Amino acid sequence: MNLTLKVWRQKGAGAPGRFVTYEARDVSPATSFLEMLDAVNEGLIARGEAPIAFEHDCREGICGSCGFVINGVPHGPRRGTTVCQLHMRVFEDGDVLTLEPWRARAFPILKDLVVDRSALDRIIQAGGFISAPTGSAPDANAILAPKEDAERAFDAAACIGCGACVAACPNASAMLFTAAKVSHLGLFPQGQPERWDRARDMVRAMDGEAFGSCTNMRECEAACPKEISIAFIARLNRDLVKASFRPRRAAAAAGV
Amino acid sequence: MSAVAALWSTSIGKKAVMAVTGIVLVGFVILHLAGNLKIYLGAGAFDAYARGLRELGEPILAYGQALWTLRLILLAAVVLHIVAAVQLTLTSWAARPVAYTEKEAVAATYAARTMRWGGVILVLFVVYHILHFTLGAVGYAPGQFQEASAYRNVVNGFRVWYVSAFYIVAQAALGLHLYHGVWSMFQTLGVDARSNGVYRGLAVVVAVVVVVGNVSIPLAVLGGLVK
């Protein structure tokens, strides 16, 4: 199959960008989207042109490195699929595909389709962890967790931090990401002691970045390659409101 | 108080304020509809309802006291709702300075995407509505508006076809706002999202009942059913 690609090319952060049209020839329907781009890049390199920069690592849909917008949809048209796991068979011969980086003030473009997603890391740093001794691995089932809670925690923990939720959101909000990261710890016994501080600190960090504000449009849920539900956003909303009416953990401890 | 201030300082807290004030406003819209529908019981019942609003709570409260208290609560809810909406909207607009060349709405409904400008239409409508039926300052021939004759005011007001048309358009905007807003309240306040279908259904019922009920009145006047 032959395709026309309109790709956002930008030399570096702050540099002006523009769309450049490329032809992808003799693409096998069995190749992945990134393999198709690899082939296009080999052609560009052979012609002495700069290859299209895109982020990738595992190519198994579990690392969260890859992701760009294909024809207005983050990670492309197939639900629950990262762009590395998207195969060319979902497209048709002659298709014209527009490839655009995530567009958000919080995600400055570094080059072509690569954006800086450090803002998500800073949200994690604000509370997406458990302050517990991490010696050797504890015995399995030393801390009991109900199966339902474990399942839901895993659903949230499936978040790979790719940023598609922000990219898809008409408000460029990071609520689904933050909700997933707050919830997967908040659903487990180990996450309980810091649950309320975590919700407050991570929301404050999220608000401190250049993200927008959620208006419940559900675009994030539809774009998420891990199909994380906005039910976790409801849970974050609930936790944050409850947390606001509780003293911080340090303050509560001082009162004893 | 510090908890409320802490909430207001976060984006989620402002949304919670929008949800709670939204509940107040939806409650008002439903009670307002119940009052409006008394138009079908005739001039006596409708004017008695209008008078009753002002005499509410007597003799413990003075004439108009309960009504003004409710009006102030509503005003506070409207102001908080709008202030939070404006602040959150500005944050969101700033969050994507470079728009997508191509962006497809995969899940967002038309109602969800038009909440902001739909809200602006509703504010303009409410201002007109108060100037029209409460104060009689617009939409009437001189001397036509009589404060004690609410029924006649409604009939005379809606006999002007373009006024009726504006009311009907505003109700469509209200219906869309309710369709997304009522469902959103549950999501924003974090009520267990596993019953999402129920909240969506409730939003549909509220939106349809309010729009059909309210739109029926100008249509009934124009059609000669209410005269």
Side-chain angles (χ1 to χ4, degrees):
Chain A
M1 58 201 285
N2 295 316
L3 300 155
T4 303
L5 307 178
K6 288 157 75 178
V7 186
W8 183 261
R9 300 304 308 263
Q10 182 172 332
K11 282 212 162 68
R18 66 193 176 93
F19 282 99
V20 180
T21 304
Y22 300 99
E23 300 297 327
R25 301 250 163 243
D26 303 323
V27 177
S28 159
T31 55
S32 77
F33 204 94
L34 298 189
E35 285 166 343
M36 181 274 294
L37 282 183
D38 290 337
V40 171
N41 276 345
E42 280 175 20
L44 288 175
I45 292 165
R47 297 209 302 269
E49 292 179 38
I52 301 160
F54 58 88
E55 209 173 339
H56 63 102
D57 190 10
C58 74
R59 299 205 177 194
E60 292 181 331
I62 55 171
C63 77
S65 296
C66 69
F68 43 81
V69 175
I70 304 172
N71 285 357
V73 182
H75 287 299
R78 200 158 180 276
R79 282 224 172 185
T81 309
T82 55
V83 72
C84 65
Q85 288 287 293
L86 182 71
H87 286 78
M88 297 313 295
R89 53 179 168 265
V90 309
F91 300 101
E92 283 173 23
D93 186 44
D95 276 358
V96 179
L97 306 180
T98 304
L99 311 189
E100 219 171 336
W102 292 168
R103 299 237 184 246
R105 191 154 70 94
F107 291 165
I109 296 172
L110 296 176
K111 189 175 169 54
D112 298 341
L113 302 175
V114 181
V115 301
D116 178 358
R117 290 169 295 163
S118 312
L120 298 184
D121 298 338
R122 289 190 289 271
I123 295 175
I124 299 280
Q125 284 160 8
F129 48 78
I130 287 166
S131 305
T134 53
S136 56
D139 281 346
N141 298 330
I143 301 171
L144 298 177
K147 182 171 190 300
E148 294 74 20
D149 291 357
E151 296 280 0
R152 284 164 70 211
F154 278 127
D155 286 346
C159 172
I160 52 177
C162 65
C165 46
V166 176
C169 177
N171 303 306
S173 163
M175 278 290 276
L176 190 62
F177 168 82
T178 308
K181 296 303 178 191
V182 167
S183 297
H184 84 90
L185 296 173
L187 279 160
F188 254 99
Q190 294 93 322
Q192 292 309 309
E194 288 156 307
R195 178 172 171 185
W196 311 107
D197 284 359
R198 178 183 304 115
R200 275 204 283 206
D201 292 344
M202 290 181 74
V203 167
R204 194 158 293 284
M206 176 186 79
D207 285 346
E209 301 291 341
F211 296 111
S213 170
C214 172
T215 54
N216 306 331
M217 298 219 218
R218 312 188 77 158
E219 287 289 323
C220 54
E221 184 183 58
C224 177
K226 298 296 153 186
E227 299 182 296
I228 292 171
S229 163
I230 59 157
F232 290 112
I233 295 182
R235 190 186 156 87
L236 172 62
N237 291 335
R238 186 162 73 234
D239 272 15
L240 192 271
V241 171
K242 281 187 192 167
S244 301
F245 289 91
R246 287 163 185 263
R248 288 194 67 89
R249 199 156 160 268
V256 172
Chain B
M1 227 23 230
S2 68
V4 176
L7 261 181
W8 179 257
S9 71
T10 66
S11 59
I12 293 177
K14 285 194 172 70
K15 276 168 51 87
V17 168
M18 288 193 69
V20 171
T21 53
I23 293 171
V24 173
L25 296 173
V26 171
F28 163 74
V29 163
I30 291 170
L31 290 176
H32 191 15
L33 170 68
N36 289 347
L37 292 177
K38 290 188 177 59
I39 197 99
Y40 294 113
L41 300 177
F46 193 72
D47 290 351
Y49 153 65
R51 203 168 50 247
L53 276 179
R54 284 151 183 84
E55 292 170 353
L56 196 68
E58 285 187 15
I60 294 172
L61 300 177
Y63 178 83
Q65 199 170 3
L67 181 64
W68 271 104
T69 307
L70 292 173
R71 280 172 172 170
L72 289 175
I73 292 171
L74 270 181
L75 184 66
V78 167
V79 168
L80 284 170
H81 199 76
I82 292 174
V83 169
V86 168
Q87 290 184 0
L88 294 172
T89 297
L90 293 178
T91 311
S92 293
W93 283 352
R96 181 162 291 135
V98 180
Y100 286 104
T101 309
E102 212 175 307
K103 183 73 173 69
E104 199 178 317
V106 179
T109 60
Y110 181 77
R113 288 181 281 128
T114 54
M115 285 304 272
R116 288 168 183 148
W117 293 111
V120 172
I121 291 174
L122 289 177
V123 170
L124 296 175
F125 166 71
V126 168
V127 169
Y128 181 84
H129 186 42
I130 291 171
L131 289 173
H132 188 218
F133 281 151
T134 309
L135 301 173
V138 292
Y140 292 101
Q144 196 183 24
F145 182 85
Q146 299 293 329
E147 201 175 318
S149 314
Y151 183 89
R152 287 255 57 84
N153 293 339
V154 170
V155 172
N156 289 331
F158 280 152
R159 277 197 175 146
V160 186
W161 70 267
Y162 50 83
V163 171
S164 281
F166 174 54
Y167 270 78
I168 291 168
V169 169
Q171 289 308 304
L174 176 61
L176 289 171
H177 210 76
L178 286 172
Y179 174 72
H180 185 67
V182 168
W183 170 78
S184 269
M185 290 186 309
F186 292 97
Q187 171 73 7
T188 297
L189 292 177
V191 182
D192 198 328
R194 277 173 289 188
S195 311
N196 245 328
V198 176
Y199 312 143
R200 187 45 98 191
L202 185 67
V204 171
V205 169
V206 171
V208 168
V209 167
V210 167
V211 172
V212 170
N214 280 335
V215 165
S216 75
I217 298 169
L219 291 180
V221 170
L222 289 174
L225 190 68
V226 170
K227 55 195 169 194

